[in-house]
Amino acid sequence: MLKRRQLAALATLPLAAPAFAQGGYPDRPIRVIVPFPAGGATDIWARLVTEPMAADLGQPIVIDNRGGAGAMIGTEAVARAAPDGYTLLFTISSSFQSPVVLRRDPYRLSDFAPIGKMGTTSLVFCVAANQPPRTMEEFINYTRGKSLNYGTYSPGSTGHAMAQLLSDTHRLDMSPVHYRGEAPLLADVLGGRVPCAFHSMTGAGEHIRSGRVRPLAVLGRERIPSLPQVPTLLELGMIEDFAQTGFLGMLGPARLPQPIHARLAESYRKAMARPEVVSRLREMDTIPQWLGPEEFRADMEQYLRWWTALVDRMGLRADG
């Protein structure tokens, strides 16, 4: 048995670099935590990019879905993980939006080492097929004077804030029903148990195109290519906040050693440059927008400044 002095000495040794950072053979899998359940948009994006990364790194990569608390459970696990390259995060802006809305501080952006941005995507405001409105104007008129629930894929998410902003802007009486990811939310919208919600095209596009979910308007400045008939909320005369879109990408814990960080970022960049990855993203109405580590950090910082100001202005709160 090791003596206390020997244990203390071991604790000061540098973390061993993974095999992929040394050009060796795989020793154990890289675990990429997705802070949402399997089957939702974030899970699909993560699996799309980690498959070519695994081949490039010569290292198995496994997806670990850890939903809950507005994406904070899985995100915090990465913030607290050893910075050895074996535990990474693939997420969307909700991971950093939720703490602002939930008034919690389990981690900060400085607790992470950004690896790269995949891109962005516009959310679509949809109603269940059993709801009568067929346009946004009809929805507002139909909803006014009623108490109506809307679904969100997590408390503190873009879908949560934008639906509440829609309600506040038009003086509607809408209340959130929070889920632990887009897949369970979508199941209840399809079943007619939730009347409306913001959805991603990655998670709900097939059902939107088949008519099982009815799209009324989209976030962002441009219409979604596969839904050219659906206007943006800006086109409908709504405020500039509805033009914002979030981010999706990969991060590791802070203090990743430079060789490990650089190798992961380069592998991710190469995966994002693959024509089949770009093609699949566009098929899912996801806009590829690769940014390297420093550019991605600056992009997140800018977005979170806007988000914090919006939440403060709205007085938005949620229980995670």
Side-chain angles (χ1 to χ4, degrees):
M1 178 178 289
L2 292 173
K3 296 180 180 180
R4 183 176 300 178
R5 183 177 299 174
Q6 291 172 309
L7 289 171
L10 286 173
T12 65
L13 293 175
L15 293 166
F20 69 80
Q22 305 176 57
Y25 296 99
D27 42 1
R28 60 186 169 100
I30 297 170
R31 183 170 46 120
V32 175
I33 293 179
V34 173
F36 297 97
T42 312
D43 180 66
I44 294 170
W45 287 318
R47 294 177 190 276
L48 176 65
V49 77
T50 52
E51 183 176 345
M53 285 183 67
D56 176 64
L57 295 170
Q59 192 94 0
I61 298 179
V62 297
I63 300 296
D64 181 355
N65 296 97
R66 294 198 197 181
M72 292 194 298
I73 290 175
T75 305
E76 185 175 7
V78 177
R80 305 293 172 244
D84 56 11
Y86 287 109
T87 304
L88 305 175
L89 175 71
F90 192 95
T91 194
I92 58 177
S93 46
S94 292
S95 281
F96 300 96
Q97 294 174 188
S98 294
V100 179
V101 177
L102 297 171
R103 300 307 193 263
R104 298 186 191 175
D105 194 21
Y107 50 78
R108 300 183 180 184
L109 187 55
S110 58
D111 293 320
F112 297 88
I115 293 170
K117 180 180 180 180
M118 173 180 274
T120 188
T121 185
S122 293
L123 297 179
V124 188
F125 185 73
C126 302
V127 295
N130 65 349
Q131 296 294 305
R134 308 194 75 83
T135 66
M136 183 57 75
E137 183 180 8
E138 289 180 9
F139 174 82
I140 292 168
N141 292 334
Y142 170 78
T143 304
R144 187 167 282 127
K146 297 182 178 69
S147 293
L148 194 73
N149 290 332
Y150 62 87
T152 85
Y153 48 82
S154 73
S157 63
T158 301
H160 174 201
M162 294 296 102
Q164 191 59 52
L165 185 61
L166 181 67
S167 178
D168 293 351
T169 301
H170 295 279
R171 299 181 181 180
L172 307 177
D173 184 15
M174 294 171 60
S175 302
V177 177
H178 299 302
Y179 290 79
R180 295 181 63 176
E182 187 173 15
L185 164 62
L186 180 59
D188 273 6
V189 173
L190 288 169
R193 293 177 289 276
V194 175
C196 60
F198 274 98
H199 286 290
S200 73
M201 289 299 292
T202 302
E206 175 185 346
H207 302 293
I208 291 172
R209 287 185 285 269
S210 69
R212 297 185 66 199
V213 180
R214 188 178 308 128
L216 302 185
V218 302
L219 296 176
R221 298 187 181 279
E222 298 180 8
R223 296 189 181 196
I224 291 175
S226 68
L227 297 175
Q229 77 283 9
V230 180
T232 67
L233 287 160
L234 281 185
E235 288 180 75
L236 297 176
M238 299 197 191
I239 60 177
E240 181 73 17
D241 290 305
F242 289 110
Q244 293 286 340
T245 55
F247 54 81
L248 48 138
M250 183 179 289
L251 306 95
R255 299 176 302 282
L256 272 179
Q258 193 278 332
I260 297 174
H261 192 186
R263 181 73 177 94
L264 289 167
E266 176 61 13
S267 182
Y268 190 18
R269 184 197 66 77
K270 288 162 65 176
M272 284 296 301
R274 293 172 70 98
E276 63 270 27
V277 171
V278 174
S279 175
R280 181 69 181 119
L281 287 172
R282 294 194 185 281
E283 286 173 8
M284 296 185 291
D285 290 295
T286 303
I287 302 169
Q289 190 184 77
W290 164 257
L291 292 177
E294 292 307 313
E295 295 84 0
F296 187 24
R297 181 183 294 280
D299 184 71
M300 288 189 287
E301 289 173 345
Q302 183 278 327
Y303 182 84
L304 291 173
R305 283 193 294 270
W306 165 79
W307 175 259
T308 302
L310 175 70
V311 169
D312 288 346
R313 192 172 78 240
M314 292 178 64
L316 191 66
R317 300 285 192 279
D319 294 322

